[in-house]
Amino acid sequence: MAIQKPLSHHELCSEYLKHIALIAPLQEPLLLYGHPGLRTLFFAYHIHRKSNNAGLLFKQIDAFSFLPAKDNSFMHQLKSYAALDNIGSLFIKNIQLLTPSLQRELYYFIINEKKARIIALASGDLFLRTKEKKFSKKLFYLLQNSPLELISV
């Protein structure tokens, strides 16, 4: 059995971009896993640019900015972005930091949102958090359609 050489930086990035090209056209919510500093915004924006919403707006919201538990502010910001006529994608960073009440509201928001595609980023193990009842099972499975784990490239 021959040992394969590891992918180079360029080859690995190329593989990511091929995978993104496959999932970008989907209108379903998308979950990205990755740690801060892994060019998560670059990948989220690249997904948006390769999607059917490419000519529309891409907006980012960071759950960290709404701590501690500024539930009304977070949902107000999210809904104001979604209300824009030319919104294409909403990128929600640090989704693992949302309170249970925000997770519940976000779940129903995503179910009812028809214009914008939701791209969420988690920098922790959401499966484990769900198993430990620290993250909404409904929201986790809604976002888990086609997860993409980002590694340092």
Side-chain angles (χ1 to χ4, degrees):
M1 184 168 161
I3 297 175
Q4 293 181 339
K5 70 175 187 147
L7 293 175
S8 70
H9 170 77
H10 177 70
E11 291 169 323
L12 187 57
C13 197
S14 177
E15 287 299 314
Y16 264 89
L17 296 180
K18 285 179 192 174
H19 188 71
I20 286 172
L22 294 173
I23 61 174
L26 303 174
Q27 194 57 27
E28 298 296 319
L30 175 64
L31 179 62
L32 303 178
Y33 287 101
H35 296 286
L38 292 181
R39 299 185 192 151
T40 54
L41 179 58
F42 165 79
F43 284 109
Y45 187 69
H46 188 70
I47 290 166
H48 168 73
R49 297 285 299 151
K50 294 293 183 182
S51 75
N52 298 332
N53 297 341
L56 302 172
L57 287 177
F58 173 88
K59 290 290 188 175
Q60 170 182 289
I61 186 169
D62 190 343
F64 182 77
S65 301
F66 295 91
L67 294 177
K70 297 177 184 171
D71 292 9
N72 293 335
S73 299
F74 176 81
M75 287 309 296
H76 175 73
Q77 183 71 59
L78 196 61
K79 288 175 183 177
S80 70
Y81 283 160
L84 295 171
D85 288 334
N86 57 345
I87 191 66
S89 299
L90 292 170
F91 177 45
I92 305 170
K93 290 178 67 174
N94 296 307
I95 196 166
Q96 77 283 355
L97 299 176
L98 295 177
T99 63
S101 63
L102 273 179
Q103 293 171 32
R104 188 171 35 262
E105 281 191 69
L106 181 58
Y107 171 79
Y108 289 109
F109 174 82
I110 293 172
I111 291 291
N112 294 312
E113 177 54 41
K114 301 300 178 208
K115 289 191 321 184
R117 180 187 195 175
I118 305 298
I119 302 171
L121 170 70
S123 61
D125 186 345
L126 282 190
F127 178 75
L128 181 61
R129 291 184 61 81
T130 302
K131 191 174 171 183
E132 294 171 344
K133 299 187 185 324
K134 295 178 181 175
F135 195 82
S136 164
K137 187 185 289 188
K138 284 182 177 182
L139 182 56
F140 175 73
Y141 287 112
L142 180 64
L143 294 170
Q144 193 65 11
N145 287 320
S146 53
L148 179 61
E149 184 172 355
L150 303 175
I151 59 173
S152 182
V153 289

